[in-house]
Amino acid sequence: MLNGRLAKHYGIPGVEGWEFRKVNLPPGSHRGGVLTMASVLKITANGTSTSPVLRGAWILDRILGTPPPRPPENVSALEPDTRGSTTIRQQLSKHRQLAACASCHAKIDPPGFALESFDVIGGWREYYRCTGNGKPVTVDGKRCPIFKGRRSILPTFFPTDGHSRTATN
């Protein structure tokens, strides 16, 4: 069930208007079922980044009815500096080397990683934007704001003081 706004978010062409209706997904679509709904993907993220651990634990608990146990008290959370790791997969791989963590993460991580191609609001992604391999963000073909230091470049559709302006003034 989609309306025009949700179809646009999902990248599904040919759906217009506010009314929800049944829509056939295009061949090769990444969508289908409850787990790929933007609402589910949003509640399994923290608002700014995704976590295969949060998403995997949510699937185990809410979908499969087998919640993972709480982490042991003597094991700290995954720390950002894991001595040379650069991806979340590498960080969790190092984390799973701890025997106390391995048994649970063997169950939590796979369903979480299955959803890592979806961003925090349920959009499809081919890469993480923060890795430096991203592309400019656009809305309706217009580039979104870029902030660099004290000077900002704002397109006309993002006026900050109520006055329309061009992208360079």
Side-chain angles (χ1 to χ4, degrees):
M1 299 292 291
L2 297 174
N3 67 4
R5 194 172 198 178
L6 191 55
K8 183 177 178 180
H9 176 69
Y10 288 163
I12 298 173
V15 181
E16 302 293 329
W18 291 99
E19 297 296 321
F20 281 89
R21 60 193 162 283
K22 185 176 181 177
V23 175
N24 291 325
L25 295 174
S29 175
H30 304 291
R31 301 289 170 182
V34 172
L35 293 180
T36 63
M37 291 180 172
S39 57
V40 169
L41 294 162
K42 175 64 182 113
I43 63 167
T44 59
N46 71 8
T48 58
S49 63
T50 60
S51 166
V53 175
L54 291 177
R55 286 181 167 172
W58 188 89
I59 290 170
L60 291 176
D61 183 23
R62 304 296 170 96
I63 302 296
L64 299 177
T66 57
R70 290 196 150 291
E73 288 185 26
N74 61 344
V75 176
S76 61
L78 184 65
E79 295 183 23
D81 179 18
T82 53
R83 297 180 183 93
S85 292
T86 57
T87 68
I88 189 67
R89 283 187 188 272
Q90 290 171 331
Q91 291 175 6
L92 285 170
S93 177
K94 286 189 176 200
H95 189 69
R96 281 191 304 270
Q97 290 174 3
L98 298 170
C101 303
S103 62
C104 293
H105 279 277
K107 296 173 187 171
I108 295 170
D109 296 352
F113 278 124
L115 298 177
E116 273 299 284
S117 290
F118 294 97
D119 65 19
V120 295
I121 58 170
W124 181 257
R125 64 179 171 200
E126 300 287 334
Y127 44 81
Y128 293 100
R129 288 183 55 211
C130 62
T131 63
N133 297 327
K135 297 177 185 172
V137 176
T138 59
V139 176
D140 294 329
K142 298 176 185 175
R143 192 171 177 166
C144 289
I146 301 169
F147 297 100
K148 294 184 179 182
R150 293 172 51 89
R151 181 173 179 245
S152 67
I153 301 172
L154 299 174
T156 56
F157 59 94
F158 285 117
T160 59
D161 57 4
H163 296 90
S164 181
R165 56 174 72 141
T166 65
T168 57
N169 65 358

